[in-house]
Amino acid sequence: MRIVFLGSDTAISVLKSLFNSKHEVVAVVCQPDKPNGRNNKIEMCEVKKYALSKNIPVLQYNKIRKEGVQDLINLKPDFLVSASYGQIISQEIIDIPKYETLNIHPSLLPKYRGASPIISAILNGDKETGVAIMKMVLAVDAGGTYVIEKVKIGENETAGELTERMFELGSQLLLETMDKIVSGNAILTEQNDENATFCSMIKKEDAKLNFEFDCEKLFDMTRAYNPNPVAYFEYHNENYKVFESKYVLQSSEEYMKICSFVKNNEFKNGEIVCSSCKPFGLVIKAKNGFFMPTVIQAPNGKKMDIKSYLNGKSFNVGEILS
C-alpha cells in the first residue's frame, strides 16, 4: 500500500512502524520548520529528519487544506494516516486516498475529542485511557472507529511517557486495521455523539500550580504537563518549573513528622514550610497536605533534583506562593 503520513514528533513511532512494514511511505507531511526557543535558529523536527534519512519526500504547508491538495492527489495514496498532525484537514483531502484517511487518536472515544486527550486524562485522575483508530471525517474526532484498545495509566506516569506508549500501540493497531480494510474484514463502529466530551488546546498559563488545590490535583498537574508546557510556581516574580513531585496528606504520619520537625502545624495554603531542611526538601502547604517538588528547573537554570538544587540555593520559609 502507498501511504502518506501526516504527523508530528509526538507520533514519530507511527512513522517508523509504517516505514518498517510491508507498506511504502511515499511522503511525509509535517509542520513548517520553526525557530527554536534558545537562539531562534531554524530547526527541522524529528519527523522530518527521520524521513529525509530514509529518503522519503517531505511536504510542509502553512495550511494544508489550501496548499497541499494537488500534491497529495499526485501521490496517488491508498491511505492517508494522520497522527497528531495539528492542522485542519479538509473534506477534499480526506477523500483523496483509494481506501481511507485514518487517524490515531489517543483516547477512549467519544471521550476526550480534541487537542489534549492525554493531558486531560491525567489531569482528571483517570486510571485508564485508550487508543482509537478512526475514520477521519470533517468534524473533530467524530468519525467511526475500527478499534479502541484500553490502556492503563501508571500511578506516576507522565504525559510524555504515556504518549510514547500509546502511539507505539497505535502503530500496531493501525497496521492491523489497514489490512482488514483492504481485505474487506474491517468493522466500523459509529460514535455516540451524546457521550462526547471535548478537550481544548493547552496554554502555558494552564500549567501554573494553584496551592488552593488538593495535593492529588497538583501531583497530576506535574505529570500531565511533563514534558510540555511543564507545571510551574511563581517565586519572586520568576517561574520555577516542576517536572516531578510527591505529596503527603494531612492524615498521614509523614505530615505529622514534618510538622514536628518545623515545630508548627498551622500553615496557609501556598506557604513554604521547609526549604533546605533534610530529608524533606522543598515543602509547600496545599489544600489537604504538603506538596513537594522533587525535580525542578530554576529560571535560566538546568533541570535538577530538589536536593541538589537546595545544596546551593533555598526558598524563604514562611513566604506564601500565590
Side-chain angles (χ1 to χ4, degrees):
M1 295 291 109
R2 293 172 58 83
I3 313 295
V4 174
F5 173 81
L6 302 86
S8 67
D9 291 353
T10 298
I12 194 170
S13 58
V14 180
L15 173 58
K16 292 179 179 179
S17 179
L18 287 168
F19 179 79
N20 291 319
S21 72
K22 64 185 178 182
H23 304 294
E24 179 187 4
V25 182
V26 295
V28 164
V29 183
C30 58
Q31 301 287 13
D33 299 340
K34 295 180 180 178
N36 65 31
R38 297 182 298 276
N39 53 21
N40 279 335
K41 181 180 178 182
I42 300 295
E43 286 189 352
M44 293 187 290
C45 65
E46 294 304 313
V47 160
K48 182 176 180 178
K49 290 178 185 177
Y50 180 82
L52 294 178
S53 74
K54 303 300 182 183
N55 296 315
I56 305 171
V58 175
L59 304 173
Q60 296 172 285
Y61 308 105
N62 289 312
K63 291 187 178 180
I64 189 173
R65 63 187 184 275
K66 292 184 177 181
E67 304 164 20
V69 176
Q70 192 57 52
D71 288 341
L72 296 175
I73 290 173
N74 293 343
L75 289 166
K76 296 182 171 57
D78 293 302
F79 287 95
L80 296 183
V81 172
S82 174
S84 192
Y85 175 53
Q87 283 195 38
I88 295 172
I89 298 175
S90 65
Q91 189 65 50
E92 190 176 10
I93 291 175
I94 291 171
D95 293 338
I96 287 174
K98 177 181 177 180
Y99 291 100
E100 281 188 8
T101 295
L102 298 175
N103 181 49
I104 302 177
H105 186 77
S107 85
L108 294 170
L109 287 171
K111 189 176 184 179
Y112 298 138
R113 292 179 182 176
S116 56
I118 295 175
I119 289 176
S120 296
I122 295 177
L123 277 179
N124 292 331
D126 294 356
K127 303 303 180 186
E128 68 175 14
T129 182
V131 178
I133 306 299
M134 55 169 282
K135 177 179 180 178
M136 187 172 284
V137 296
L138 201 54
V140 176
D141 299 326
T145 59
Y146 285 106
V147 60
I148 299 178
E149 188 157 322
K150 291 183 178 180
V151 175
K152 288 184 178 180
I153 302 176
E155 185 176 344
N156 297 303
E157 195 165 27
T158 66
E161 293 165 342
L162 181 57
T163 296
E164 187 174 340
R165 281 205 300 126
M166 291 178 75
F167 277 108
E168 286 177 356
L169 173 59
S171 302
Q172 301 169 24
L173 298 176
L174 172 70
L175 294 174
E176 294 168 5
T177 299
M178 288 194 298
D179 285 345
K180 289 180 181 179
I181 291 173
V182 173
S183 65
N185 295 320
I187 298 174
L188 186 68
T189 303
E190 296 299 332
Q191 295 185 49
N192 185 342
D193 291 341
E194 292 182 1
N195 295 334
T197 63
F198 295 86
C199 49
S200 58
M201 292 284 290
I202 299 298
K203 297 174 287 189
K204 182 180 177 181
E205 52 266 32
D206 295 331
K208 184 178 181 180
L209 297 168
N210 182 340
F211 297 105
E212 298 295 332
F213 291 165
D214 289 343
C215 290
E216 297 93 332
K217 178 68 174 179
L218 297 172
F219 176 68
D220 289 341
M221 287 177 70
T222 11
R223 296 165 53 222
Y225 296 128
N226 181 351
N228 188 57
V230 187
Y232 68 94
F233 63 85
E234 192 175 291
Y235 178 73
H236 292 178
N237 297 317
E238 292 190 298
N239 294 341
Y240 287 74
K241 295 180 178 180
V242 181
F243 289 87
E244 296 178 25
S245 66
K246 61 182 181 179
Y247 63 90
V248 296
L249 300 179
Q250 281 174 294
S251 56
S252 68
E253 290 184 12
E254 187 73 7
Y255 184 93
M256 298 311 299
K257 193 180 296 184
I258 294 172
C259 290
S260 176
F261 184 87
V262 300
K263 298 179 174 57
N264 192 3
N265 59 6
E266 293 187 8
F267 309 96
K268 295 180 179 179
N269 292 342
E271 184 174 345
I272 299 174
V273 175
C274 287
S275 179
S276 55
C277 49
K278 296 180 180 180
F280 306 114
L282 177 61
V283 180
I284 304 167
K285 178 66 173 68
K287 182 178 179 180
N288 62 340
F290 292 138
F291 175 76
M292 295 176 280
T294 55
V295 178
I296 72 167
Q297 184 176 9
N300 302 313
K302 296 180 180 179
K303 183 168 73 170
M304 58 201 309
D305 68 87
I306 192 65
K307 291 181 180 178
S308 298
Y309 179 81
L310 293 176
N311 280 335
K313 302 279 182 76
S314 66
F315 297 90
N316 293 334
V317 172
E319 192 162 332
I320 297 175
L321 305 173
S322 59

